[in-house]
C-alpha cells in the first residue's frame, strides 16, 4: 500500500526546477564532459534524477521503492517485529504532516527526492544491521558479504554532504567500539573502509574547494565563519525549518518530554537539585511552545529582538531533549534515544558555515525527530492505545494527498498538451500561454510557471514570450467544454479578445 500510494504521488507530481535542467542532459554528457568533477559530489543522486527525468517508469518505480524502503527500515529500526505495522503508520503520519516547505523540496521535487530521501537508505540499513546482527558479522562466513557493504557504503556517500558526514561519524564510532571490544567485526570494517573511500571521493570534488575559497561559479553556494552569519542561519532559518514550521512534531515532543519530566519529579522528589532542573526544563518547554505558536506573530510581532529570543528558546528546547534522552538512555540501557537526537543535531551543524540552508537541508534531522517520537511512543506504550486514531488520521492524510496529487497531475498534463497544441499550430504568434498548475506550495519550482527557461528547454518551446492563464480561469473553461481541443480553442479565443 505504501508503494502504491507514493507511486501515485510520483505519477502526478510534475518535473520542476532542476528536474528539467537535468532532463536536458544525459549520463554520458554528465560524466563524459567532466561536468561531474566541478558541480558537486552527489554523483549517485544526480545520476538518479537524470535517469528519472528521461524515464517516467523509472521515476515512478524508484520514487515509490525508495520511500517504501526508507519507511520500512525506519520502522524496523525502532522495533523489528512486535510494533512494525504500528510504527510504520506513525512514521508515515509524521512524515506526511511535515511543513509544506519540507514536503515541496523533498517529496514534491524529484531532484530533491533523489538526493535527500535516497540518502537515508544506507544509514538506516547499517544501523539496522548493527542493532540486530552485529554478533553475526563476527563470524568468518560473513566475510564474503563484506564486498557488498563496501560497495554500498561508497555509493551512500554520493548523495548529500551532511548525510555523508553522518555516515563518516557513524563509521568512526563503530570502529572505535570494535577496537574497544577487541573483537573483529567484518560489517564494521567493511563499512569503515567503504565510507571513508566514498567520503574522500565526494569531497575531493573541485566544487568544495571552490566554495571554501569563494571561487564557486554558482554564487548562491558559499562558506562563512562569521558569528553574525551563523546566528542568522540558526535564528531565522534552521529553527524554523526544523522545529517551528513543524508544529505537530514539535508539540508532540514537548508533550512527551513534559510527561517524562513530571514522571521523574514524582520518582525523585527528594532530590532538590534534580527538582530545580526539572522545573527549569518544564519552563523551557512551555516558553518555547507558547512564544512561537502564540506570541511570536502577535504580541511580539514588532519586537526588534524577537528572532534572538526565538534562537535562544530553540537552543534551550533542543538542550532539554538532549538531557532527557541521555537520562532515558541510561535508565533503559538503550542508546537509541540519545543517538537519534544527536544525529538530528549533527546533520544540521554543517549548515552553520555552509549556505544555502533551505527546508530540504532540515529533512534528515526532521526524520530523526520523527523516529525519536515513535521510539518514545513505544517506550511509553502509547502506540498500542492510539492505533485506531493513527489509522483514522492516515486515511484522512491519504485522501488529502491523493486528491491533491490528482488535481496537480491533471493540470500538469493539460498544461503540457496545450503547449504541444500551441507549438503545432504556432499560435499565438509571439508568445505562449501557460496554464497554471495549482497548489504550487506542494511542489518546488524556482522560476515562475510562465516563461520558465528550464521548462522551455525541456519541452523544446521556441517562443520566449509567455502569459500565465490562472487555474480558476482555465478550469472554468474546461468544465464548459467537451474536449481538450475545444477547451484549447476557447482559451486562445479568450486571450485574443483580451489583447
Amino acid at each position: 500500500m505504501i508503494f502504491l500510494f507514493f507511486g501515485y504521488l510520483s505519477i502526478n507530481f510534475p518535473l520542476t526546477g532542476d528536474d528539467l535542467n537535468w532532463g536536458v542532459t544525459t549520463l554520458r554528457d554528465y560524466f563524459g564532459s567532466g561536468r561531474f568533477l566541478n558541480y558537486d559530489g552527489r554523483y549517485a543522486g544526480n545520476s538518479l534524477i537524470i535517469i528519472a527525468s528521461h524515464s517516467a517508469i523509472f521515476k515512478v518505480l524508484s520514487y515509490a521503492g525508495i520511500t517504501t524502503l526508507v519507511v520500512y527500515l525506519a520502522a524496523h529500526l525502532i522495533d523489528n517485529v512486535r510494533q512494525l505495522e504500528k510504527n510504520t503508520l506513525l512514521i508515515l503520519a509524521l512524515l506526511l504532516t511535515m511543513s509544506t516547505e519540507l514536503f515541496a523540496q523533498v517529496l514534491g521535487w524529484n531532484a530533491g527526492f533523489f538526493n535527500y530521501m535516497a540518502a537515508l537508505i544506507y544509514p538506516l540499513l547499517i544501523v539496522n544491521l548493527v542493532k540486530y546482527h552485529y554478533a553475526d558479522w563476527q563470524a568468518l562466513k560473513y566475510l564474503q558479504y563484506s564486498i557488498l557493504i563496501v560497495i554500498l557504503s561508497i555509493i551512500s556517500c554520493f548523495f548529500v554532504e551532511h548525510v555523508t558526514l553522518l555516515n563518516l561519524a557513524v563509521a568512526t564510532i563503530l570502529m572505535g567500539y570494535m577496537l574497544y571490544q577487541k573483537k573483529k567485526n567484518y560489517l564494521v570494517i567493511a563499512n569503515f573502509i567503504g565510507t571513508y573511500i566514498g567520503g574522500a571521493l565526494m569531497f575531493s570534488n573541485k566544487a568544495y574547494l571552490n566554495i571554501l575559497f569563494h571561487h564557486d561559479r554558482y554564487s548562491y553556494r558559499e562558506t562563512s565563519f562569521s558569528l553574525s552569519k551563523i546566528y542568522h542561519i540558526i535564528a531565522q532559518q534552521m529553527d524554523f525549518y526544523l522545529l517551528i514550521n513543524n508544529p505537530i512534531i514539535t508539540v508532540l515532543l514537548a508533550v512527551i518530554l513534559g510527561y517524562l519530566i513530571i514522571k521523574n519529579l514524582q520518582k525523585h522528589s527528594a532530590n532538590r537539585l534534580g527538582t530545580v532542573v526539572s522545573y527549569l526544563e518544564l519552563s523551557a518547554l512551555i516558553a518555547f511552545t507558547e512564544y512561537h505558536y502564540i506570541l511570536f506573530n502577535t504580541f511580539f510581532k514588532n519586537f526588534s529582538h524577537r528572532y534572538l529570543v526565538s534562537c535562544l528558546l530553540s537552543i534551550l528546547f533542543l538542550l532539554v531533549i538532549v538531557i532527557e534522552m541521555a537520562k532515558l538512555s541510561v535508565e533503559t540501557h538503550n542508546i537509541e534515544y540519545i543517538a537519534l537526537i544527536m544525529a538530528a543535531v549533527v546533520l544540521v551543524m554543517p549548515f552553520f558555515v555552509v549556505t544555502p540552508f533551505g527546508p530540504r537541508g532540515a529533512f534528515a534531522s526532521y526524520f530523526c525527530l520523527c523516529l525519536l517520537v515513535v521510539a518514545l511512543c513505544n517506550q511509553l506504550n502509547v502506540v498500542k492505545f492510539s492505533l485506531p486514531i493513527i489509522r483514522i488520521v492516515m486515511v484522512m492524510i491519504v485522501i488529502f494527498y491523493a486528491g491533491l496529487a490528482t488535481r496537480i497531475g491533471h493540470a500538469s498534463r493539460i498544461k503540457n498538451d496545450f503547449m504541444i497544441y500551441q507549438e503545432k499550430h504556432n499560435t499565438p504568434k509571439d508568445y505562449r500561454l501557460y496554464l497554471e498548475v495549482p497548489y504550487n506550495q506542494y511542489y518546488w519550482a524556482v522560476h515562475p510557471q510562465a516563461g520558465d527557461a528550464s521548462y522551455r528547454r525541456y519541452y523544446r518551446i521556441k517562443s520566449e514570450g509567455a502569459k500565465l492563464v490562472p487555474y480558476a480561469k482555465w478550469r472554468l473553461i474546461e468544465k464548459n467544454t467537451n474536449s481538450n481541443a475545444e477547451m484549447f480553442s476557447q482559451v486562445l479565443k479568450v486571450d485574443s479578445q483580451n489583447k
Side-chain angles (χ1 to χ4, degrees):
M1 290 301 291
I2 298 172
F3 184 90
L4 293 175
F5 171 71
F6 283 103
Y8 188 74
L9 289 188
S10 181
I11 288 171
N12 286 285
F13 275 82
L15 296 172
T16 61
D18 279 351
D19 304 347
L20 301 169
N21 292 330
W22 288 117
V24 296
T25 189
T26 63
L27 289 176
R28 179 180 293 181
D29 293 335
Y30 176 61
F31 288 106
S33 65
R35 179 184 177 188
F36 74 101
L37 294 170
N38 299 287
Y39 186 68
D40 58 32
R42 302 178 181 184
Y43 313 122
N46 293 342
S47 297
L48 288 174
I49 182 56
I50 288 172
I51 299 170
S53 63
H54 287 85
S55 170
I57 294 175
F58 177 84
K59 178 174 82 77
V60 172
L61 293 179
S62 55
Y63 184 102
I66 288 169
T67 315
T68 303
L69 186 56
V70 166
V71 172
Y72 171 77
L73 288 172
H76 189 271
L77 176 63
I78 303 302
D79 193 307
N80 65 334
V81 178
R82 292 173 300 164
Q83 304 283 353
L84 190 60
E85 180 189 353
K86 301 169 186 176
N87 291 341
T88 300
L89 288 174
L90 188 53
I91 289 169
L92 273 174
L94 294 173
L95 180 64
L96 292 171
T97 52
M98 60 186 170
S99 68
T100 53
E101 302 103 322
L102 263 177
F103 185 97
Q105 292 199 5
V106 178
L107 291 174
W109 180 38
N110 291 281
F113 176 87
F114 285 110
N115 276 293
Y116 291 85
M117 180 67 82
L120 299 181
I121 293 176
Y122 185 77
L124 287 170
L125 174 64
I126 198 69
V127 174
N128 266 284
L129 288 174
V130 168
K131 180 177 179 179
Y132 298 114
H133 303 286
Y134 183 87
D136 297 337
W137 283 79
Q138 292 175 338
L140 187 61
K141 67 178 182 179
Y142 278 85
L143 179 61
Q144 60 185 316
Y145 301 111
S146 297
I147 187 64
L148 178 61
I149 296 297
V150 171
I151 293 170
L152 290 175
S153 57
I154 291 173
I155 296 171
S156 74
C157 294
F158 300 154
F159 290 98
V160 286
E161 296 78 10
H162 57 297
V163 176
T164 297
L165 291 172
L166 178 69
N167 291 344
L168 288 166
V170 170
T172 304
I173 292 168
L174 290 176
M175 178 57 73
Y177 177 73
M178 188 196 78
L179 294 174
Y180 174 77
Q181 279 205 324
K182 298 179 181 179
K183 289 183 180 179
K184 188 182 294 183
N185 188 291
Y186 296 108
L187 174 64
V188 172
I189 295 170
N191 177 62
F192 184 85
I193 293 170
T195 303
Y196 268 83
I197 291 173
L201 290 173
M202 174 184 232
F203 291 111
S204 64
N205 190 288
K206 295 177 183 177
Y208 301 112
L209 278 177
N210 291 334
I211 294 169
L212 182 63
F213 293 107
H214 306 286
H215 299 312
D216 188 44
R217 60 183 292 192
Y218 302 96
S219 58
Y220 63 90
R221 305 189 306 196
E222 63 177 358
T223 55
S224 174
F225 297 91
S226 162
L227 290 177
S228 62
K229 187 71 174 288
I230 294 172
Y231 161 72
H232 173 77
I233 291 170
I234 296 173
Q236 298 189 26
Q237 297 179 42
M238 199 168 286
D239 57 351
F240 282 86
Y241 295 148
L242 179 58
L243 297 173
I244 301 159
N245 292 350
N246 295 289
I248 292 177
I249 196 82
T250 305
V251 171
L252 279 174
L253 276 170
V255 170
I256 293 170
L257 288 169
Y259 173 80
L260 289 173
I261 293 168
I262 292 170
K263 191 176 177 182
N264 284 330
L265 271 172
Q266 293 171 344
K267 282 184 180 179
H268 309 290
S269 56
N271 185 339
R272 291 186 178 182
L273 179 60
T275 300
V276 171
V277 172
S278 295
Y279 277 116
L280 287 174
E281 288 179 332
L282 281 173
S283 300
L285 294 177
I286 295 169
F288 173 86
T289 308
E290 185 175 346
Y291 179 78
H292 288 108
Y293 299 122
I294 299 175
L295 303 175
F296 187 79
N297 286 318
T298 54
F299 295 102
F300 285 85
K301 188 174 183 179
N302 298 317
F303 179 50
S304 58
H305 299 296
R306 66 177 184 151
Y307 285 104
L308 174 61
V309 176
S310 172
C311 177
L312 294 174
L313 288 175
S314 296
I315 292 172
L316 283 174
F317 184 76
L318 287 173
L319 186 60
V320 171
I321 300 176
V322 171
I323 293 171
E324 287 302 312
M325 292 308 98
K327 288 162 62 177
L328 187 60
S329 291
V330 171
E331 289 173 11
T332 60
H333 304 287
N334 186 346
I335 66 167
E336 278 183 9
Y337 307 108
I338 187 63
L340 284 169
I341 185 58
M342 291 310 298
V345 173
V346 167
L347 282 164
V348 294
M349 285 179 67
F351 296 104
F352 288 174
V353 295
V354 180
T355 55
F357 177 75
R360 58 189 179 275
F363 175 70
S365 294
Y366 175 82
F367 195 75
C368 288
L369 295 182
C370 290
L371 299 193
L372 181 59
V373 167
V374 176
L376 289 170
C377 287
N378 275 264
Q379 171 65 23
L380 301 175
N381 210 17
V382 172
V383 179
K384 178 181 178 180
F385 299 106
S386 60
L387 184 59
I389 298 173
I390 296 172
R391 284 175 175 163
I392 293 170
V393 170
M394 271 309 304
V395 169
M396 294 171 64
I397 291 172
V398 167
I399 291 172
F400 170 78
Y401 277 111
L404 182 78
T406 300
R407 290 189 288 273
I408 289 174
H410 172 74
S412 180
R413 287 185 284 272
I414 291 289
K415 172 187 176 180
N416 295 338
D417 290 344
F418 184 44
M419 194 58 64
I420 293 170
Y421 180 91
Q422 292 177 85
E423 287 290 294
K424 181 179 179 180
H425 295 87
N426 193 28
T427 180
K429 295 290 185 183
D430 303 323
Y431 57 90
R432 292 292 176 261
L433 296 175
Y434 289 74
L435 302 183
E436 182 185 23
V437 179
Y439 311 110
N440 61 349
Q441 68 269 37
Y442 286 96
Y443 57 88
W444 182 244
V446 178
H447 304 290
Q449 290 189 35
D452 185 346
S454 301
Y455 184 90
R456 286 203 311 272
R457 284 194 301 270
Y458 186 82
Y459 290 102
R460 299 177 183 177
I461 300 166
K462 297 174 183 177
S463 178
E464 294 187 11
K467 282 186 181 181
L468 184 69
V469 182
Y471 175 71
K473 187 174 181 179
W474 71 258
R475 187 75 178 94
L476 183 62
I477 295 173
E478 183 187 29
K479 289 178 179 178
N480 294 318
T481 51
N482 298 316
S483 66
N484 282 354
E486 184 182 351
M487 173 206 161
F488 297 158
S489 177
Q490 189 64 26
V491 171
L492 290 168
K493 182 179 178 181
V494 171
D495 175 68
S496 65
Q497 291 173 349
N498 293 333
K499 286 183 179 178

